[in-house]
Amino acid sequence: MTASETVPSTVITQLSRPRDATEAVRRNLATCWTAVVNAGGAVVPMGCPLPPVAQATLRPAVERITGELSPDHSRLLMATVDGALAGWLLLRREAHPLAAHCGVLNHVQTHVHFRGRGVGAAMMRHAQGVARDEMGLERLQLAVRSGLGLEEFYRKAGWTEVGRWPGALRVSPGDDRDEILMSLAL
């Protein structure tokens, strides 16, 4: 792990190998993820029930993500404030050779106790630098759930909406949301 960016009391660190993800790190990731999902966040992983969820429910996804870390293909960025995990995201290179110049951001989340403090914006700026300068990527993409105001957050960070899957996400019966596809040239 190396400290890379500081924004008023926010420190961004990067994990690029499975061994970087200590038990404490994995526990903190699952704790943050649980809080975000249970607050209505759009980062529900495959195989996980809809909220409310317990930390143990998210632990297999954390183990999979941290176990697949690789300097060339998958990096985890974590934001801490005064030593507490305030947010994290996963930056991955597209696996297919035709898209290997592109990266994907997944699981972008800020712990509910740290929202509105610039943590998410700091992570997004840092992810762009890592993608471009360290991984050699030329473009990033991500997908967000409509109805949470996330698309505006990403627009302010320079992202462009490039498409939508209308009604692709069913939050609950009668509550279908669009999946918004966004892109950022680096």
Side-chain angles (χ1 to χ4, degrees), residues 77-101:
L77 302 181
M78 299 185 316
T80 56
V81 174
D82 298 327
L85 183 65
W88 63 278
L89 62 80
L90 183 66
L91 170 60
R92 297 184 295 105
R93 177 184 302 279
E94 282 287 3
H96 195 283
L98 292 175
H101 64 290

Side-chain angles (χ1 to χ4, degrees), residues 114-174:
F114 293 97
R115 291 188 178 158
R117 295 173 63 178
V119 171
M123 287 193 304
M124 296 306 292
R125 282 190 304 275
H126 193 78
Q128 290 174 35
V130 169
R132 180 187 57 246
D133 302 335
E134 297 180 29
M135 296 177 76
L137 298 173
E138 299 171 21
R139 177 169 298 283
L140 291 175
Q141 59 192 25
L142 58 80
V144 299
R145 180 194 313 164
S146 67
L148 298 173
L150 297 172
E151 57 272 40
E152 184 58 28
F153 168 79
Y154 290 111
R155 278 190 198 103
K156 287 180 182 177
W159 292 72
T160 302
E161 181 178 329
V162 294
R164 285 181 181 243
W165 292 104
L169 305 171
R170 179 157 293 157
V171 178
S172 63

Side-chain angles (χ1 to χ4, degrees), residues 6-84:
T6 304
V7 173
S9 76
T10 301
V11 177
I12 310 291
T13 57
Q14 180 182 160
L15 284 70
S16 60
R17 291 177 169 44
R19 70 175 179 259
D20 295 339
T22 64
E23 173 57 30
V25 164
R26 294 190 314 270
R27 184 176 51 252
N28 287 337
L29 293 171
T31 299
C32 178
W33 204 346
T34 302
V36 169
V37 169
N38 288 338
V43 291
V44 179
M46 292 290 293
C48 183
L50 294 178
V53 298
Q55 185 173 334
T57 305
L58 293 166
R59 191 61 188 251
V62 169
E63 296 296 331
R64 181 184 47 75
I65 288 167
T66 57
E68 294 174 355
L69 293 175
S70 157
D72 293 332
H73 300 286
S74 180
R75 299 183 186 201
L76 191 133
L77 302 181
M78 299 185 316
T80 56
V81 174
D82 298 327

